[in-house]
Amino acid sequence: APLASVATESMAMSRANPVRRVVSLLQQMQEKVTAEGKKEAELFDKFMCYCKTGADDLAASISAADSKLTADTSSLEAAVAMKSQLEKDLEAHKTGREEAQASVNEAVAIREKEAAEFAKASAEHKTNIAAMGKAIAALEKGVSAGFLQTVAAAKLRQLSIDAELDASDRDVLTAFLSAGDGEEYVPQSGQVIGILK
């Protein structure tokens, strides 16, 4: 049926007055142009809305990016400065560590030298103390003449020269230890034993 009505209408138009046909065509064109105008106005309004809000959004985005760039630049500069400071601190600590290691090495060397000197002095003192013990024991037994020919007596002679004694004590001890080369020994062992003890 719709086909029949369209065909009827077009036949009616073809029979209609030519002026009427022009008026009908103009009315149809006017409706079409009005509809297109409304459509374009809606599109224009949408575009203008986008331009207004889009420009504001874009400006806000640019502003945020600028502030972020400034903050990032500041952070980067702070990080570079911190890195530089840490490198200087590291270099200073390395130098300090090397100096400390050198001090430790020097202290170890001094301590080893002192330990060697102490061991030598300790051995010498122990030998001297042992010689004095033998000398005192021999003198207390009264075998002074035989004692004077021993190694302990020779050590005691050397000790009497090196030790810190009063001059009078040293003279008595030296005289005692020197006796026996053809001289008659006068017993003074009590005094000598007192000096040695």
Short mmCIF file of all heavy atoms in Angstrom, two decimals, residues 104-156:
data_model
loop_
_atom_site.label_atom_id
_atom_site.label_comp_id
_atom_site.label_asym_id
_atom_site.label_seq_id
_atom_site.Cartn_x
_atom_site.Cartn_y
_atom_site.Cartn_z
N VAL A 104 97.70 1.99 62.32
CA VAL A 104 97.67 0.65 62.90
C VAL A 104 98.95 -0.11 62.54
O VAL A 104 99.56 -0.75 63.40
CB VAL A 104 96.41 -0.12 62.42
CG1 VAL A 104 96.52 -1.60 62.72
CG2 VAL A 104 95.17 0.47 63.04
N ASN A 105 99.36 -0.03 61.28
CA ASN A 105 100.58 -0.72 60.85
C ASN A 105 101.79 -0.20 61.61
O ASN A 105 102.65 -0.97 62.03
CB ASN A 105 100.79 -0.56 59.35
CG ASN A 105 99.75 -1.31 58.54
OD1 ASN A 105 99.06 -2.18 59.05
ND2 ASN A 105 99.62 -0.95 57.28
N GLU A 106 101.85 1.12 61.79
CA GLU A 106 102.96 1.72 62.54
C GLU A 106 102.93 1.27 64.00
O GLU A 106 103.97 0.91 64.57
CB GLU A 106 102.86 3.25 62.46
CG GLU A 106 104.00 3.97 63.14
CD GLU A 106 103.88 5.48 63.05
OE1 GLU A 106 103.06 5.97 62.26
OE2 GLU A 106 104.62 6.15 63.79
N ALA A 107 101.74 1.26 64.60
CA ALA A 107 101.61 0.83 66.00
C ALA A 107 102.00 -0.64 66.15
O ALA A 107 102.66 -1.01 67.13
CB ALA A 107 100.19 1.07 66.49
N VAL A 108 101.61 -1.47 65.18
CA VAL A 108 101.96 -2.90 65.24
C VAL A 108 103.48 -3.06 65.14
O VAL A 108 104.08 -3.84 65.89
CB VAL A 108 101.24 -3.68 64.11
CG1 VAL A 108 101.85 -5.06 63.91
CG2 VAL A 108 99.76 -3.78 64.42
N ALA A 109 104.10 -2.30 64.25
CA ALA A 109 105.55 -2.38 64.10
C ALA A 109 106.25 -1.94 65.39
O ALA A 109 107.20 -2.61 65.85
CB ALA A 109 106.02 -1.53 62.92
N ILE A 110 105.78 -0.86 66.00
CA ILE A 110 106.37 -0.38 67.26
C ILE A 110 106.18 -1.43 68.35
O ILE A 110 107.10 -1.72 69.12
CB ILE A 110 105.75 0.97 67.66
CG1 ILE A 110 106.22 2.08 66.70
CG2 ILE A 110 106.10 1.33 69.09
CD1 ILE A 110 105.50 3.40 66.88
N ARG A 111 104.97 -1.99 68.41
CA ARG A 111 104.67 -3.00 69.43
C ARG A 111 105.54 -4.24 69.25
O ARG A 111 106.05 -4.81 70.21
CB ARG A 111 103.19 -3.37 69.37
CG ARG A 111 102.77 -4.42 70.35
CD ARG A 111 102.93 -3.96 71.79
NE ARG A 111 102.64 -5.04 72.70
CZ ARG A 111 103.49 -5.56 73.54
NH1 ARG A 111 104.71 -5.06 73.63
NH2 ARG A 111 103.15 -6.54 74.32
N GLU A 112 105.75 -4.66 68.02
CA GLU A 112 106.60 -5.82 67.76
C GLU A 112 108.04 -5.54 68.16
O GLU A 112 108.72 -6.40 68.73
CB GLU A 112 106.51 -6.23 66.29
CG GLU A 112 105.19 -6.87 65.92
CD GLU A 112 105.04 -7.12 64.43
OE1 GLU A 112 105.91 -6.66 63.63
OE2 GLU A 112 104.05 -7.77 64.03
N LYS A 113 108.52 -4.32 67.87
CA LYS A 113 109.87 -3.93 68.24
C LYS A 113 110.00 -3.91 69.77
O LYS A 113 110.97 -4.43 70.33
CB LYS A 113 110.20 -2.55 67.67
CG LYS A 113 111.58 -2.07 67.99
CD LYS A 113 111.83 -0.69 67.41
CE LYS A 113 113.19 -0.16 67.86
NZ LYS A 113 113.37 1.23 67.45
N GLU A 114 108.99 -3.31 70.45
CA GLU A 114 109.01 -3.27 71.91
C GLU A 114 108.95 -4.67 72.50
O GLU A 114 109.61 -4.96 73.50
CB GLU A 114 107.84 -2.43 72.44
CG GLU A 114 107.99 -0.94 72.18
CD GLU A 114 106.75 -0.14 72.58
OE1 GLU A 114 105.69 -0.76 72.85
OE2 GLU A 114 106.84 1.09 72.62
N ALA A 115 108.14 -5.55 71.88
CA ALA A 115 108.03 -6.93 72.37
C ALA A 115 109.36 -7.65 72.23
O ALA A 115 109.77 -8.40 73.13
CB ALA A 115 106.92 -7.67 71.62
N ALA A 116 110.06 -7.43 71.11
CA ALA A 116 111.37 -8.06 70.91
C ALA A 116 112.38 -7.53 71.93
O ALA A 116 113.15 -8.31 72.53
CB ALA A 116 111.87 -7.81 69.50
N GLU A 117 112.36 -6.22 72.17
CA GLU A 117 113.25 -5.63 73.17
C GLU A 117 112.93 -6.17 74.56
O GLU A 117 113.84 -6.48 75.34
CB GLU A 117 113.15 -4.10 73.15
CG GLU A 117 113.74 -3.47 71.91
CD GLU A 117 113.46 -1.97 71.83
OE1 GLU A 117 112.80 -1.41 72.73
OE2 GLU A 117 113.93 -1.36 70.85
N PHE A 118 111.64 -6.27 74.87
CA PHE A 118 111.24 -6.79 76.18
C PHE A 118 111.68 -8.23 76.34
O PHE A 118 112.17 -8.63 77.41
CB PHE A 118 109.72 -6.67 76.37
CG PHE A 118 109.24 -7.34 77.63
CD1 PHE A 118 109.41 -6.73 78.85
CD2 PHE A 118 108.65 -8.61 77.57
CE1 PHE A 118 108.99 -7.36 80.02
CE2 PHE A 118 108.23 -9.23 78.73
CZ PHE A 118 108.40 -8.61 79.96
N ALA A 119 111.48 -9.04 75.30
CA ALA A 119 111.86 -10.45 75.38
C ALA A 119 113.37 -10.57 75.62
O ALA A 119 113.82 -11.39 76.44
CB ALA A 119 111.46 -11.18 74.10
N LYS A 120 114.15 -9.74 74.94
CA LYS A 120 115.60 -9.77 75.12
C LYS A 120 115.97 -9.35 76.54
O LYS A 120 116.76 -10.03 77.21
CB LYS A 120 116.25 -8.84 74.10
CG LYS A 120 117.75 -8.80 74.17
CD LYS A 120 118.33 -7.85 73.15
CE LYS A 120 119.84 -7.74 73.30
NZ LYS A 120 120.41 -6.76 72.39
N ALA A 121 115.38 -8.24 77.00
CA ALA A 121 115.68 -7.76 78.35
C ALA A 121 115.19 -8.75 79.40
O ALA A 121 115.87 -8.99 80.40
CB ALA A 121 115.03 -6.39 78.57
N SER A 122 114.03 -9.34 79.19
CA SER A 122 113.48 -10.32 80.13
C SER A 122 114.38 -11.54 80.23
O SER A 122 114.65 -12.03 81.33
CB SER A 122 112.08 -10.72 79.68
OG SER A 122 111.55 -11.73 80.51
N ALA A 123 114.86 -12.02 79.09
CA ALA A 123 115.77 -13.18 79.10
C ALA A 123 117.05 -12.83 79.84
O ALA A 123 117.56 -13.63 80.64
CB ALA A 123 116.07 -13.62 77.67
N GLU A 124 117.56 -11.64 79.60
CA GLU A 124 118.79 -11.21 80.28
C GLU A 124 118.55 -11.10 81.79
O GLU A 124 119.36 -11.55 82.59
CB GLU A 124 119.22 -9.85 79.70
CG GLU A 124 120.59 -9.41 80.18
CD GLU A 124 121.04 -8.14 79.48
OE1 GLU A 124 120.96 -8.10 78.23
OE2 GLU A 124 121.43 -7.20 80.18
N HIS A 125 117.41 -10.51 82.19
CA HIS A 125 117.11 -10.38 83.62
C HIS A 125 116.92 -11.76 84.27
O HIS A 125 117.37 -11.97 85.40
CB HIS A 125 115.86 -9.53 83.84
CG HIS A 125 116.04 -8.07 83.51
ND1 HIS A 125 117.15 -7.35 83.89
CD2 HIS A 125 115.25 -7.21 82.85
CE1 HIS A 125 117.04 -6.11 83.47
NE2 HIS A 125 115.89 -5.99 82.82
N LYS A 126 116.27 -12.66 83.57
CA LYS A 126 116.08 -14.00 84.12
C LYS A 126 117.43 -14.71 84.31
O LYS A 126 117.65 -15.39 85.32
CB LYS A 126 115.17 -14.83 83.21
CG LYS A 126 113.72 -14.42 83.29
CD LYS A 126 112.86 -15.21 82.33
CE LYS A 126 111.43 -14.71 82.39
NZ LYS A 126 110.57 -15.38 81.41
N THR A 127 118.34 -14.51 83.35
CA THR A 127 119.68 -15.09 83.46
C THR A 127 120.41 -14.49 84.66
O THR A 127 121.06 -15.19 85.44
CB THR A 127 120.47 -14.85 82.16
OG1 THR A 127 119.74 -15.38 81.07
CG2 THR A 127 121.84 -15.49 82.22
N ASN A 128 120.32 -13.16 84.81
CA ASN A 128 120.97 -12.48 85.92
C ASN A 128 120.40 -12.94 87.26
O ASN A 128 121.14 -13.18 88.22
CB ASN A 128 120.81 -10.97 85.79
CG ASN A 128 121.59 -10.40 84.62
OD1 ASN A 128 122.50 -11.06 84.11
ND2 ASN A 128 121.23 -9.21 84.20
N ILE A 129 119.09 -13.07 87.34
CA ILE A 129 118.44 -13.50 88.58
C ILE A 129 118.87 -14.93 88.92
O ILE A 129 119.17 -15.25 90.08
CB ILE A 129 116.91 -13.39 88.47
CG1 ILE A 129 116.51 -11.92 88.45
CG2 ILE A 129 116.21 -14.12 89.60
CD1 ILE A 129 115.05 -11.67 88.12
N ALA A 130 118.93 -15.78 87.91
CA ALA A 130 119.38 -17.16 88.14
C ALA A 130 120.83 -17.18 88.63
O ALA A 130 121.19 -17.93 89.56
CB ALA A 130 119.23 -17.98 86.87
N ALA A 131 121.70 -16.35 88.03
CA ALA A 131 123.11 -16.28 88.45
C ALA A 131 123.21 -15.79 89.88
O ALA A 131 124.02 -16.30 90.68
CB ALA A 131 123.89 -15.39 87.50
N MET A 132 122.42 -14.78 90.22
CA MET A 132 122.45 -14.26 91.59
C MET A 132 121.97 -15.32 92.59
O MET A 132 122.52 -15.47 93.68
CB MET A 132 121.57 -13.02 91.72
CG MET A 132 122.16 -11.79 91.13
SD MET A 132 121.02 -10.46 91.43
CE MET A 132 122.14 -9.21 91.87
N GLY A 133 120.93 -16.06 92.20
CA GLY A 133 120.43 -17.13 93.07
C GLY A 133 121.51 -18.16 93.34
O GLY A 133 121.70 -18.62 94.47
N LYS A 134 122.24 -18.57 92.29
CA LYS A 134 123.33 -19.54 92.45
C LYS A 134 124.45 -18.96 93.30
O LYS A 134 125.03 -19.65 94.15
CB LYS A 134 123.87 -19.95 91.08
CG LYS A 134 122.93 -20.81 90.29
CD LYS A 134 123.54 -21.14 88.93
CE LYS A 134 122.57 -21.90 88.06
NZ LYS A 134 123.13 -22.13 86.72
N ALA A 135 124.78 -17.68 93.07
CA ALA A 135 125.86 -17.03 93.83
C ALA A 135 125.50 -16.95 95.30
O ALA A 135 126.33 -17.24 96.17
CB ALA A 135 126.12 -15.64 93.27
N ILE A 136 124.27 -16.56 95.58
CA ILE A 136 123.85 -16.44 96.98
C ILE A 136 123.87 -17.81 97.65
O ILE A 136 124.36 -17.97 98.77
CB ILE A 136 122.45 -15.79 97.06
CG1 ILE A 136 122.54 -14.33 96.65
CG2 ILE A 136 121.87 -15.93 98.45
CD1 ILE A 136 121.20 -13.65 96.48
N ALA A 137 123.36 -18.83 96.95
CA ALA A 137 123.35 -20.18 97.52
C ALA A 137 124.77 -20.67 97.77
O ALA A 137 125.07 -21.25 98.82
CB ALA A 137 122.62 -21.13 96.58
N ALA A 138 125.69 -20.42 96.83
CA ALA A 138 127.09 -20.85 96.98
C ALA A 138 127.75 -20.11 98.13
O ALA A 138 128.52 -20.69 98.91
CB ALA A 138 127.85 -20.63 95.69
N LEU A 139 127.50 -18.82 98.25
CA LEU A 139 128.11 -18.02 99.32
C LEU A 139 127.58 -18.44 100.68
O LEU A 139 128.32 -18.48 101.67
CB LEU A 139 127.84 -16.54 99.10
CG LEU A 139 128.60 -15.91 97.93
CD1 LEU A 139 128.15 -14.48 97.72
CD2 LEU A 139 130.10 -15.97 98.16
N GLU A 140 126.31 -18.75 100.75
CA GLU A 140 125.73 -19.18 102.02
C GLU A 140 126.29 -20.53 102.45
O GLU A 140 126.42 -20.81 103.65
CB GLU A 140 124.20 -19.24 101.92
CG GLU A 140 123.56 -17.87 101.91
CD GLU A 140 122.05 -17.90 101.71
OE1 GLU A 140 121.52 -18.93 101.23
OE2 GLU A 140 121.41 -16.89 102.01
N LYS A 141 126.68 -21.38 101.51
CA LYS A 141 127.26 -22.67 101.83
C LYS A 141 128.74 -22.53 102.18
O LYS A 141 129.34 -23.44 102.70
CB LYS A 141 127.12 -23.63 100.65
CG LYS A 141 125.72 -24.14 100.45
CD LYS A 141 125.72 -25.11 99.30
CE LYS A 141 124.33 -25.57 99.00
NZ LYS A 141 124.30 -26.44 97.83
N GLY A 142 129.33 -21.43 101.81
CA GLY A 142 130.74 -21.19 102.14
C GLY A 142 131.69 -21.72 101.10
O GLY A 142 132.87 -21.87 101.35
N VAL A 143 131.25 -21.97 99.92
CA VAL A 143 132.13 -22.46 98.86
C VAL A 143 132.48 -21.31 97.94
O VAL A 143 132.42 -21.41 96.74
CB VAL A 143 131.48 -23.62 98.09
CG1 VAL A 143 131.48 -24.87 98.90
CG2 VAL A 143 130.12 -23.25 97.60
N SER A 144 132.91 -20.23 98.52
CA SER A 144 133.16 -19.04 97.73
C SER A 144 134.34 -19.21 96.80
O SER A 144 134.34 -18.72 95.68
CB SER A 144 133.36 -17.84 98.64
OG SER A 144 134.46 -18.08 99.48
N ALA A 145 135.38 -19.90 97.22
CA ALA A 145 136.57 -20.03 96.38
C ALA A 145 136.23 -20.83 95.13
O ALA A 145 136.64 -20.48 94.04
CB ALA A 145 137.68 -20.70 97.16
N GLY A 146 135.46 -21.88 95.26
CA GLY A 146 135.08 -22.68 94.10
C GLY A 146 134.06 -21.95 93.23
O GLY A 146 134.03 -22.09 92.02
N PHE A 147 133.27 -21.16 93.88
CA PHE A 147 132.23 -20.41 93.15
C PHE A 147 132.83 -19.39 92.20
O PHE A 147 132.34 -19.16 91.12
CB PHE A 147 131.30 -19.71 94.15
CG PHE A 147 130.40 -18.72 93.51
CD1 PHE A 147 129.33 -19.15 92.73
CD2 PHE A 147 130.62 -17.36 93.65
CE1 PHE A 147 128.50 -18.23 92.13
CE2 PHE A 147 129.79 -16.45 93.05
CZ PHE A 147 128.73 -16.88 92.29
N LEU A 148 133.96 -18.77 92.63
CA LEU A 148 134.56 -17.70 91.82
C LEU A 148 135.05 -18.20 90.47
O LEU A 148 135.25 -17.40 89.56
CB LEU A 148 135.71 -17.03 92.60
CG LEU A 148 135.28 -16.27 93.86
CD1 LEU A 148 136.49 -15.75 94.61
CD2 LEU A 148 134.36 -15.12 93.49
N GLN A 149 135.26 -19.49 90.31
CA GLN A 149 135.69 -20.03 89.03
C GLN A 149 134.51 -20.46 88.14
O GLN A 149 134.72 -20.88 87.01
CB GLN A 149 136.61 -21.26 89.24
CG GLN A 149 138.04 -20.93 89.57
CD GLN A 149 138.20 -20.46 91.02
OE1 GLN A 149 137.53 -20.97 91.89
NE2 GLN A 149 139.08 -19.51 91.24
N THR A 150 133.29 -20.29 88.58
CA THR A 150 132.13 -20.74 87.80
C THR A 150 131.67 -19.66 86.81
O THR A 150 132.06 -18.50 86.90
CB THR A 150 130.95 -21.10 88.72
OG1 THR A 150 130.52 -19.92 89.37
CG2 THR A 150 131.33 -22.18 89.71
N VAL A 151 130.81 -20.12 85.88
CA VAL A 151 130.21 -19.22 84.89
C VAL A 151 129.28 -18.23 85.59
O VAL A 151 129.19 -17.06 85.21
CB VAL A 151 129.43 -20.05 83.83
CG1 VAL A 151 128.68 -19.15 82.87
CG2 VAL A 151 130.38 -20.95 83.08
N ALA A 152 128.64 -18.69 86.66
CA ALA A 152 127.72 -17.81 87.41
C ALA A 152 128.49 -16.65 88.01
O ALA A 152 127.99 -15.51 88.05
CB ALA A 152 126.99 -18.61 88.49
N ALA A 153 129.72 -16.88 88.49
CA ALA A 153 130.52 -15.80 89.05
C ALA A 153 130.90 -14.79 87.96
O ALA A 153 130.90 -13.58 88.19
CB ALA A 153 131.77 -16.36 89.73
N ALA A 154 131.23 -15.29 86.79
CA ALA A 154 131.56 -14.38 85.68
C ALA A 154 130.36 -13.54 85.31
O ALA A 154 130.47 -12.33 85.06
CB ALA A 154 132.04 -15.20 84.48
N LYS A 155 129.21 -14.16 85.30
CA LYS A 155 127.98 -13.42 85.00
C LYS A 155 127.71 -12.39 86.09
O LYS A 155 127.28 -11.27 85.82
CB LYS A 155 126.80 -14.41 84.88
CG LYS A 155 125.53 -13.80 84.42
CD LYS A 155 125.68 -13.37 82.97
CE LYS A 155 124.36 -12.84 82.46
NZ LYS A 155 124.49 -12.20 81.17
N LEU A 156 127.96 -12.77 87.33
CA LEU A 156 127.77 -11.86 88.46
C LEU A 156 128.75 -10.68 88.38
O LEU A 156 128.38 -9.54 88.70
CB LEU A 156 127.94 -12.63 89.77
CG LEU A 156 127.47 -11.93 91.04
CD1 LEU A 156 126.01 -11.51 90.93
CD2 LEU A 156 127.66 -12.83 92.25
#
